[in-house]
Amino acid sequence: MNKKINNSKKFFSWQRIINGLTISRIILGLPIIISLRNGNNDVFIFLILLAGLTDFLDGYFARKYDHKSVFGAKLDPLADKILLIGPMIWLVHEDLVPLWTIWLIISRELLITSWRSDKTSGGPASIQGKYKTTFQFASIILLLWPKSWGSSYTIEIINKIGYVSFWIALVLTLSSAIKYIFNQKEAHQN
């Protein structure tokens, strides 16, 4: 009997829950794209908010219960990229943002993620990187806000706030990349 209790404790460890939350974000990427393709922005909003909640919770639990791991530090930013790149491409498809901006964002994400993956610690995200991700999430949600969730005037305001948020996210994306590149350059010179 005691062995059964110990096995169930191992199965429901905080580390598994935290990593499960991160992996769920990766899995949500496909239904998010399918909902956008099918024109079901109501489902899209629900799924992206759920994914955002898992992002918050995995970080919260990792800090609260001191279960930070190299695996989690490497998987978490990758999960964000997998989740956000599809909707960003969709923004271009819908002519909501210029293609070159998404190219810059995706290039930055691939570059920084590859550099961070070489670190044994996984290279935790900076505060600026967290703001960047938050603005990316917000801009995607607000730009793809369902038309049935308000009057045309309300939707127009929501979309404008999303558009401004997108440009803030782009500036944060580029400035954090520049900062990261200079930090890497200094680290290699020492």
Side-chain angles (χ1 to χ4, degrees), residues 38 112 142 190:
N38 291 336
I112 302 303
L142 297 173
N190 293 332

Side-chain angles (χ1 to χ4, degrees), residues 10 21 56 60-61 67 77 94 99 113 123 159 185 188-189:
K10 287 181 185 177
L21 287 167
F56 169 78
Y60 173 78
F61 289 141
H67 283 287
E94 295 291 305
L99 175 62
T113 300
N159 290 161
K185 184 178 176 183
H188 289 295
Q189 288 176 349

Side-chain angles (χ1 to χ4, degrees), residues 108 128-129 132 171-181:
R108 181 266 183 214
Q128 189 175 6
K132 168 202 60 90
V171 168
L172 289 170
T173 298
L174 297 177
S175 64
S176 69
I178 291 166
K179 183 178 176 183
Y180 196 89
I181 289 167

Side-chain angles (χ1 to χ4, degrees), residues 100-180:
W100 64 268
T101 60
I102 301 304
W103 182 87
L104 284 173
I105 290 171
I106 292 172
S107 297
R108 181 266 183 214
E109 299 300 349
L110 294 174
L111 179 68
I112 302 303
T113 300
S114 69
W115 278 343
R116 287 174 66 191
S117 69
D118 288 342
K119 295 188 176 209
T120 56
S121 66
S126 67
I127 273 291
Q128 189 175 6
K130 291 179 186 211
Y131 285 139
K132 168 202 60 90
T133 302
T134 301
F135 273 100
Q136 287 175 347
F137 263 106
S139 66
I140 289 168
I141 290 168
L142 297 173
L143 285 168
L144 296 172
W145 195 259
K147 303 293 181 215
S148 62
W149 287 14
S151 67
S152 59
Y153 177 74
T154 304
I155 301 300
E156 185 179 338
I157 290 173
I158 290 170
N159 290 161
K160 283 182 181 179
I161 294 169
Y163 193 69
V164 170
S165 297
F166 176 80
W167 289 100
I168 292 170
L170 181 64
V171 168
L172 289 170
T173 298
L174 297 177
S175 64
S176 69
I178 291 166
K179 183 178 176 183
Y180 196 89

Side-chain angles (χ1 to χ4, degrees), residues 56-102:
F56 169 78
L57 289 175
D58 70 14
Y60 173 78
F61 289 141
R63 286 184 300 278
K64 181 174 180 171
Y65 297 107
D66 197 29
H67 283 287
K68 299 172 189 168
S69 69
V70 173
F71 177 77
K74 290 183 178 192
L75 189 62
D76 186 69
L78 183 61
D80 290 342
K81 283 25 161 202
I82 290 170
L83 181 72
L84 292 176
I85 286 175
M88 284 185 191
I89 292 170
W90 192 257
L91 292 176
V92 173
H93 177 267
E94 295 291 305
D95 291 324
L96 297 171
V97 298
L99 175 62
W100 64 268
T101 60
I102 301 304

Side-chain angles (χ1 to χ4, degrees), residues 2-17:
N2 200 10
K3 193 173 184 179
K4 246 185 188 179
I5 291 172
N6 286 338
N7 285 341
S8 68
K9 283 183 183 179
K10 287 181 185 177
F11 184 75
F12 290 108
S13 71
W14 278 111
Q15 196 62 49
R16 284 181 186 246
I17 292 169

